[in-house]
Amino acid sequence: MAAPSAAGLGRRLRAWLPRLTQVRWSRYNPSFLEPEVNKELYQKPWEELSEEEKEKMELKAVRPIKAAPPNVSSSVFSDPVISKFTNMMMKNGNKVLARSLMAQTLEAIKRKQLEKYHKAPEDQKEAIECNPYIIFHQALKNCQPIIGLSNITKGGKTYQVPVPLKDNRKRFLAMKWLITECRENKNRRMLMPEKLSQELLQAFNNEGPIIKKKHVLHKMAEANRAYAHFRWW
Amino acid sequence: EIQWGEDGRPFHFLFYTGKQSYYSLMHETYEKVLNVQKHQDQLTDQDQPSQKEKKNLAGSRWLTKIELEEMLLEKLSDNDYLRFIQLLQKLVTLPCGDIEEKYIQKFSKEVPAQLQKVVIEPLKYNEQGVAFSTGEGMRKTARATAVVYDNGTGKVTVNGIDIVHYFPVLQDREQLLFPFQFLDRVGKHDMVCTVSGGGRSAQAGAIRLASAKALRSFVTEKEVEFMRQAGLLTVDPRVKERKKPGQEGARRKFTWKKR
């Protein structure tokens, strides 16, 4: 197996890496910290930071920091949620196509909302949300399930046990449902951006097939409430 | 070094464990932990608030496994070392851990923050009097050199070609502009770079590192520290993992057939 080699000055000063490769290892030494790209955090004066943040800043001053990945940038246009969604939409490593589809989706959402805005009467104009990023975030939040089901085998039989989900898992499920829904349930001629924008607008208004799927999952969890005590974690 | 007496009986009571100094060290440390807990209980019995003076962990590190081996004159395994470090961390995080500070100081070393002090080169001036500075960057197999000129319009040239034609993908151009956008100097500098090797994304990352290094000479020390904490000045060590024999790729195994 290839032995991991530590990046950094002076091998003796860092922790010695084990001779055998672990299954999950990274080219960075474990003492490297994650980079912080947000410009505003650096422009805050020293007094405004809370205690925790001060400790974190002191730690960062001493420890080395990993390089920023290529998806991330300090400009206003880069968003971690959007990057995650683009990566999930990507097929066979074709990031160019995934990114252009995402851009076309956001443009389609903006166009549809602008149409609605221009047609609406004066008093309803303020209620219409035109920012596609806000619509995307709100739609994802509306799609996230609160509890999930997990298969637990007890006494030979497998039961579906309701289980609380972590934040990452909720986000992943919402995004996965959106993408599978758009890939399968569309007409022959409809392109992905159009279908995605339709689904996102529907999810933003709490309607549509994905919200239905979330409600079905919640109902199943409610029905299997009796097995909730099977969970041991 | 003979560790048993004339009658064959060993001196140390933990001799037959094989790693006598390691286990005696673990026993001592655990004794300190119990002491600290007892002290804490006494304080709560007398209704006194527990002291919360936090030691600054940022400037110190624990001994490495090799240094610990030298101290104990015995071979250790990775698990042993990890357990010892976990015990020490538990001792430090307890509220009254300051009593045992002397004991802890034996096993911690100062990491001087000046280890990573890199010399920032001064600005050079070319024939027209315009200030410029150079930087080199690498990412995977790509190697790049960048020359950043002052008093510019924000034009960027790569290998003699404009970036709009050399990098048709938006993500690469975002990466090139990242250091400038971070320092709020988007339209103020001109850049001329040369890059070779690697693929599209690797070349963009290499130029980003080179331009960040070049911008260090234009900027105050505080902003250099901010750039480092944003991850702009570290070389990305991730490279393609080698393919192993008996597997189809670096991680992918051959299709498992039951028979």
Side-chain angles (χ1 to χ4, degrees):
Chain A
M1 297 288 151
S5 62
L9 334 145
R11 254 175 262 172
R12 259 212 129 217
L13 294 164
R14 310 277 187 248
W16 183 66
L17 287 163
R19 247 181 237 122
L20 283 174
T21 329
Q22 315 286 315
V23 177
R24 288 172 156 207
W25 57 281
S26 78
R27 294 279 302 184
Y28 290 108
N29 199 291
S31 61
F32 276 63
L33 304 168
E34 297 295 323
E36 177 61 62
V37 184
N38 197 356
K39 257 201 288 190
E40 281 147 48
L41 287 177
Y42 291 118
Q43 275 148 13
K44 265 190 186 174
W46 182 252
E47 287 79 27
E48 276 184 36
L49 300 172
S50 67
E51 282 234 8
E52 282 181 14
E53 288 179 354
K54 282 192 185 167
E55 274 184 31
K56 262 196 234 172
M57 290 289 281
E58 279 175 30
L59 191 65
K60 277 197 168 184
V62 197
R63 295 275 199 90
I65 306 206
K66 298 187 191 176
N71 329 345
V72 157
S73 147
S74 71
S75 73
V76 274
F77 300 110
S78 75
D79 190 16
V81 183
I82 302 262
S83 323
K84 199 57 154 207
F85 194 75
T86 332
N87 287 343
M88 285 182 71
M89 268 213 295
M90 173 166 65
K91 274 192 187 173
N92 297 336
N94 198 345
K95 179 84 130 229
V96 181
L97 187 60
R99 190 132 175 193
S100 69
L101 287 177
M102 196 69 219
Q104 283 167 33
T105 318
L106 294 171
E107 193 191 325
I109 294 179
K110 182 89 190 199
R111 278 184 197 270
K112 286 186 188 171
Q113 289 297 92
L114 276 179
E115 246 189 79
K116 255 170 68 180
Y117 184 82
H118 288 303
K119 282 188 192 163
E122 281 296 326
D123 47 339
Q124 283 167 16
K125 277 203 175 178
E126 286 170 359
I128 298 180
E129 182 57 61
C130 278
N131 190 346
Y133 290 93
I134 295 185
I135 293 186
F136 186 84
H137 287 202
Q138 189 56 46
L140 258 191
K141 249 191 253 180
N142 291 350
C143 289
Q144 283 178 8
I146 309 178
I147 7 166
L149 293 169
S150 104
N151 301 347
I152 295 190
T153 326
K154 200 152 176 176
K157 281 206 239 176
T158 338
Y159 301 96
Q160 298 276 343
V161 176
V163 137
L165 294 174
K166 288 200 185 155
D167 277 331
N168 282 340
R169 179 79 184 151
K170 288 182 197 168
R171 253 173 278 155
F172 172 76
L173 277 176
M175 291 198 263
K176 181 94 186 237
W177 287 343
L178 256 179
I179 294 177
T180 35
E181 171 66 40
C182 292
R183 282 186 185 158
E184 284 159 27
N185 293 4
K186 60 176 175 156
N187 311 326
R188 212 65 264 270
R189 290 300 226 162
M190 207 187 243
L191 294 170
M192 178 76 159
E194 211 187 296
K195 174 77 180 171
L196 235 192
S197 55
Q198 212 178 53
E199 291 299 330
L200 280 170
L201 284 166
Q202 279 183 329
F204 180 67
N205 299 330
N206 272 321
E207 344 163 301
I210 305 166
I211 301 286
K212 235 189 192 177
K213 200 165 177 178
K214 173 181 95 154
H215 287 320
V216 161
L217 183 63
H218 284 177
K219 279 187 199 145
M220 282 277 287
E222 184 66 30
N224 283 10
R225 250 172 61 181
Y227 301 129
H229 64 285
F230 281 168
R231 180 174 65 103
W232 63 82
W233 61 88
Chain B
E1 196 209 321
I2 304 180
Q3 290 162 341
W4 52 89
E6 283 178 349
D7 52 348
R9 239 181 132 219
F11 293 132
H12 202 285
F13 73 107
L14 288 170
F15 172 75
Y16 286 113
T17 58
K19 314 174 215 175
Q20 62 177 37
S21 27
Y22 168 69
Y23 283 114
S24 69
L25 182 71
M26 291 291 274
H27 274 290
E28 266 179 50
T29 323
Y30 190 61
E31 221 185 278
K32 306 284 180 194
V33 171
L34 289 174
N35 260 347
V36 165
Q37 282 170 349
K38 211 165 83 174
H39 185 84
Q40 198 181 341
D41 289 336
Q42 277 170 1
L43 279 183
T44 42
D45 280 341
Q46 293 158 13
D47 282 328
Q48 281 168 17
S50 54
Q51 304 137 9
K52 278 194 182 177
E53 304 150 22
K54 284 194 186 159
K55 200 174 84 151
N56 193 5
L57 289 168
S60 60
R61 64 168 179 89
W62 300 119
L63 286 184
T64 59
K65 190 176 152 208
I66 305 174
E67 289 167 355
L68 195 60
E69 277 182 4
E70 279 172 28
M71 211 171 104
L72 300 175
L73 299 169
E74 255 181 14
K75 290 273 176 180
L76 289 177
S77 88
D78 293 327
N79 275 333
D80 296 338
Y81 174 67
L82 267 174
R83 296 286 271 179
F84 180 59
I85 296 295
Q86 280 165 6
L87 242 190
L88 279 177
Q89 272 164 357
K90 182 174 175 177
L91 185 56
V92 164
T93 44
L94 286 172
C96 303
D98 304 311
I99 312 165
E100 311 295 341
E101 238 192 85
K102 269 194 217 163
Y103 185 74
I104 299 172
Q105 268 165 11
K106 273 195 256 167
F107 300 107
S108 69
K109 274 200 181 169
E110 297 267 322
V111 171
Q114 275 88 39
L115 242 194
Q116 292 128 17
K117 263 271 151 90
V118 189
V119 178
I120 307 177
E121 288 174 11
L123 289 172
K124 289 172 253 183
Y125 292 85
N126 71 357
E127 296 138 358
Q128 277 99 28
V130 180
F132 72 96
S133 79
T134 45
E136 285 173 356
M138 56 150 117
R139 171 92 212 267
K140 285 191 196 175
T141 328
R143 301 286 182 265
T145 49
V147 187
V148 176
Y149 294 95
D150 210 354
N151 297 345
T153 46
K155 229 169 56 164
V156 180
T157 314
V158 183
N159 284 356
I161 310 173
D162 195 38
I163 47 165
V164 187
H165 300 288
Y166 195 82
F167 287 122
V169 181
L170 178 64
Q171 181 183 308
D172 304 334
R173 278 173 281 162
E174 230 180 19
Q175 287 295 291
L176 289 198
L177 288 173
F178 185 2
F180 298 99
Q181 207 268 342
F182 187 77
L183 299 166
D184 288 323
R185 290 166 176 244
V186 178
K188 299 183 191 163
H189 294 283
D190 259 343
M191 188 157 77
V192 178
C193 356
T194 47
V195 65
S196 65
R200 159 209 118 209
S201 186
Q203 286 188 340
I207 304 180
R208 181 186 94 182
L209 182 60
S211 58
K213 283 193 180 170
L215 279 172
R216 278 183 312 195
S217 355
F218 285 97
V219 147
T220 54
E221 270 191 28
K222 248 192 178 180
E223 298 200 291
V224 171
E225 178 59 28
F226 289 158
M227 273 216 283
R228 184 190 78 97
Q229 288 188 10
L232 280 170
L233 296 175
T234 357
V235 179
D236 204 330
R238 303 180 288 179
V239 284
K240 193 162 170 172
E241 204 175 314
R242 75 162 267 208
K243 173 196 172 320
K244 285 105 189 174
Q247 294 177 2
E248 196 173 310
R251 299 277 168 124
R252 162 133 171 96
K253 322 280 187 279
F254 288 125
T255 320
W256 182 75
K257 294 222 173 86
K258 201 161 178 182
R259 51 188 71 84

